[in-house]
Amino acid sequence: QQQENRIYKKLQKTDSLKAKQFLEQNQAQYKKLEQGIQKLSKKGNTYIPSLDTLTSSLKFLQDNPELLKLKDNAGQLTGALDKVQGLQQQFNKAELVKKFLKEKKQTLGSQLQNLGLLKELKQLNKQVYYYQAQVNEYKEILKDHKKIERKAIELLSQTKLFKDFMQKNSQLASLFRLPGNNPTDPAALNASLAGLQTRAQVNNLLQQQLSAPGAMDQFRSNMQDAQSQITNLRNRIGNQVGNTGGTDIDMPEGFKPNSQKTKTFKDRIEYNTDFQSQRSNGYFPTTSDIGLSAGYKINDKSVIGIGASYKIGWGQNIQNIRITHQGIGLRSFVDWKIKGGFWLTGGYEQNYRNEFNNIAALKDLNAWQQSGLIGLSKQINLKSKIFKKTSVKLLWDFLSYQQVPRTQPVLFRVGYNF
């Protein structure tokens, strides 16, 4: 609506009549959407396997509190069920909005194209894409249950009482008249099977149709080819859509989506630690820098971040080992992916390189030195529960030549992302 209001103001300057028609038509569409959301009922839920299982499981526990001795926690169980059903309602609304947006795209496409506002149309199409991708991202999150939730479902699924309950009360069971929904009612069982072919009937039909020599072999070959083509098509669609978890998204022509936009702020933050050592040069002792930083993923190829480092001194040589607080540093950086695992890295740092024994010494601003860094890094993915990947950086400090005493111009750092 905000985007369309901006379009409306542009149209007012050129054609007030068309602007009025544009505004009235779009306001009517939004009013219709609001009415549709208000009338939305629990019937006709969007089928999401994870939510269906959770809802049915909670209803089961609510109806059978004695099974797990939950009589004292009935209020919490009801609250949990209300929250799950509330989330289901939000997804129902989201599906209604997605349908609305598809219709909106067609309407705006004809309106804005005739009015010469193709740039605004492209911007709207991007917003529609990211909304659909965001909804699918939330659906994918639901699949990642905690271990305790998976274990609870696993244990419940082993009980006959729970199996019977799921067969009768799950959303999937309500869509189809599954055999066994009412095993004590033969009429209901016959009604659920009415019109369905039996396995024997299907086999007889295949034998009649494939009675010619070699026909069965040809049939199997055709089936394998069909399955192969379906798999290839699914992979192609998946590559085009990305990791959005669905194939119902309309990709605007010539648009390269930013997969980070559908993630939460927390999921776009990556943490890094790195290490760097320098040998004694007669003025500075042998030192090691330990750095910590946090980077924000702008997109799949760009990261910006800030960090800090601590410099520990080891003494002048092996005969004179002495651990000292040799300095600290404040960092900022920008990483840009070039190709494969190679990244272009740049950064600006402020470093306090004097030995200090208390925090008050760090207040002397004249003692801080600037560093301007540029270089390359190579990232390697790790199969580790703690670290996601490691990086090796080779950096040039082009401001080192201004320092007195001069600091090391070439830096080598090894880092880990977690």
Side-chain angles (χ1 to χ4, degrees):
Q1 280 181 305
Q2 291 175 353
Q3 186 76 8
E4 288 178 1
N5 287 337
R6 287 193 285 268
I7 295 172
Y8 167 70
K9 291 177 181 178
K10 285 186 178 181
L11 283 175
Q12 271 190 319
K13 297 177 182 178
T14 57
D15 193 327
S16 59
L17 182 60
K18 287 184 178 179
K20 184 179 179 182
Q21 293 174 347
F22 176 83
L23 182 63
E24 289 176 351
Q25 185 176 1
N26 288 306
Q27 283 180 339
Q29 289 176 327
Y30 282 108
K31 189 174 182 180
K32 184 179 178 181
L33 172 64
E34 291 175 2
Q35 291 173 348
I37 290 177
Q38 290 173 359
K39 294 178 181 178
L40 205 61
S41 65
K42 294 182 179 180
K43 293 183 179 180
N45 284 339
T46 302
Y47 181 67
I48 303 173
S50 302
L51 279 183
D52 186 25
T53 303
L54 280 174
T55 303
S56 300
S57 302
L58 290 170
K59 285 181 180 178
F60 170 74
L61 292 175
Q62 195 176 44
D63 293 349
N64 300 274
E66 71 285 350
L67 184 65
L68 297 177
K69 299 180 181 179
L70 293 171
K71 291 182 180 180
D72 297 333
N73 300 313
Q76 294 181 4
L77 196 59
T78 302
L81 183 58
D82 289 342
K83 288 181 179 180
V84 173
Q85 291 175 340
L87 182 58
Q88 177 69 66
Q89 277 291 84
Q90 292 299 98
F91 275 113
N92 293 343
K93 292 178 184 178
E95 289 300 318
L96 192 63
V97 173
K98 283 172 67 175
K99 183 180 178 181
F100 167 80
L101 288 175
K102 287 184 178 181
E103 296 172 354
K104 194 79 170 152
K105 277 183 64 178
Q106 296 177 353
T107 305
L108 289 173
S110 58
Q111 285 180 326
L112 300 184
Q113 195 166 14
N114 296 332
L115 296 172
L117 296 171
L118 291 177
K119 182 179 179 182
E120 285 75 9
L121 178 61
K122 288 181 180 179
Q123 184 63 31
L124 285 168
N125 287 343
K126 290 179 182 179
Q127 291 180 358
V128 171
Y129 171 85
Y130 282 124
Y131 177 78
Q132 294 172 316
Q134 183 71 74
V135 172
N136 284 338
E137 181 77 14
Y138 285 129
K139 290 180 181 178
E140 287 298 312
I141 291 172
L142 284 174
K143 295 180 182 178
D144 187 20
H145 296 302
K146 296 176 183 177
K147 290 183 179 179
I148 187 68
E149 292 171 343
R150 287 199 298 266
K151 189 65 177 177
I153 298 298
E154 179 186 335
L155 293 173
L156 283 171
S157 299
Q158 294 174 4
T159 65
K160 185 179 184 303
L161 188 61
F162 181 69
K163 291 177 182 178
D164 293 341
F165 183 89
M166 285 290 289
Q167 193 174 37
K168 297 175 184 178
N169 295 279
S170 73
Q171 186 180 341
L172 193 62
S174 68
L175 296 176
F176 305 98
R177 291 180 298 180
L178 298 177
N181 274 7
N182 193 353
T184 61
D185 186 356
L189 180 59
N190 293 332
S192 67
L193 297 175
L196 297 179
Q197 291 177 304
T198 65
R199 186 173 183 179
Q201 288 174 329
V202 174
N203 286 334
N204 291 334
L205 181 61
L206 286 175
Q207 289 176 2
Q208 292 174 10
Q209 297 293 330
L210 303 175
S211 58
M216 183 58 76
D217 293 337
Q218 183 64 37
F219 175 74
R220 292 195 183 109
S221 177
N222 291 340
M223 284 293 292
Q224 290 175 355
D225 291 341
Q227 290 175 347
S228 177
Q229 292 179 17
I230 290 172
T231 301
N232 292 335
L233 182 60
R234 185 188 300 119
N235 292 337
R236 286 173 58 190
I237 293 173
N239 292 333
Q240 291 175 1
V241 174
N243 297 324
T244 55
T247 58
D248 60 337
I249 297 179
D250 297 326
M251 179 79 74
E253 186 177 354
F255 170 55
K256 293 183 179 179
N258 175 11
S259 65
Q260 297 299 324
K261 271 201 169 187
T262 61
K263 297 181 179 180
T264 62
F265 179 83
K266 180 182 176 182
D267 291 336
R268 295 175 72 168
I269 299 293
E270 60 178 15
Y271 299 96
N272 176 277
T273 180
D274 61 58
F275 305 92
Q276 164 195 326
S277 294
Q278 297 179 0
R279 64 183 180 180
S280 172
N281 60 3
Y283 185 87
F284 293 113
T286 299
T287 58
S288 293
D289 286 71
I290 304 171
L292 290 172
S293 61
Y296 177 76
K297 297 179 182 178
I298 300 175
N299 51 50
D300 294 332
K301 292 187 176 182
S302 305
V303 180
I304 60 172
I306 57 174
S309 63
Y310 167 70
K311 188 184 293 288
I312 182 172
W314 302 105
Q316 295 294 336
N317 50 51
I318 193 69
Q319 286 84 20
N320 297 286
I321 295 178
R322 177 170 169 261
I323 297 177
T324 56
H325 305 296
Q326 207 60 42
I328 64 170
L330 301 175
R331 301 176 175 181
S332 62
F333 64 90
V334 177
D335 291 340
W336 183 68
K337 190 173 184 178
I338 304 173
K339 190 176 182 181
F342 289 95
W343 293 67
L344 180 64
T345 301
Y348 174 78
E349 299 180 359
Q350 285 278 357
N351 295 290
Y352 185 91
R353 292 191 170 97
N354 297 327
E355 184 178 349
F356 68 96
N357 295 315
N358 55 69
I359 301 299
L362 303 176
K363 296 180 180 180
D364 183 7
L365 300 180
N366 294 325
W368 289 75
Q369 296 180 339
Q370 303 179 80
S371 292
L373 304 174
I374 189 169
L376 292 173
S377 66
K378 169 67 175 177
Q379 294 186 355
I380 304 169
N381 292 328
L382 297 177
K383 294 181 179 179
S384 170
K385 293 183 179 179
I386 301 176
F387 299 110
K388 295 180 180 179
K389 53 190 173 183
T390 184
S391 61
V392 180
K393 299 180 181 180
L394 186 62
L395 305 170
W396 173 48
D397 182 1
F398 54 85
L399 296 180
S400 63
Y401 306 101
Q402 303 175 7
Q403 311 302 334
V404 179
R406 181 178 294 182
T407 55
Q408 185 173 324
V410 179
L411 305 176
F412 180 79
R413 292 176 179 172
V414 178
Y416 299 92
N417 285 48
F418 56 90

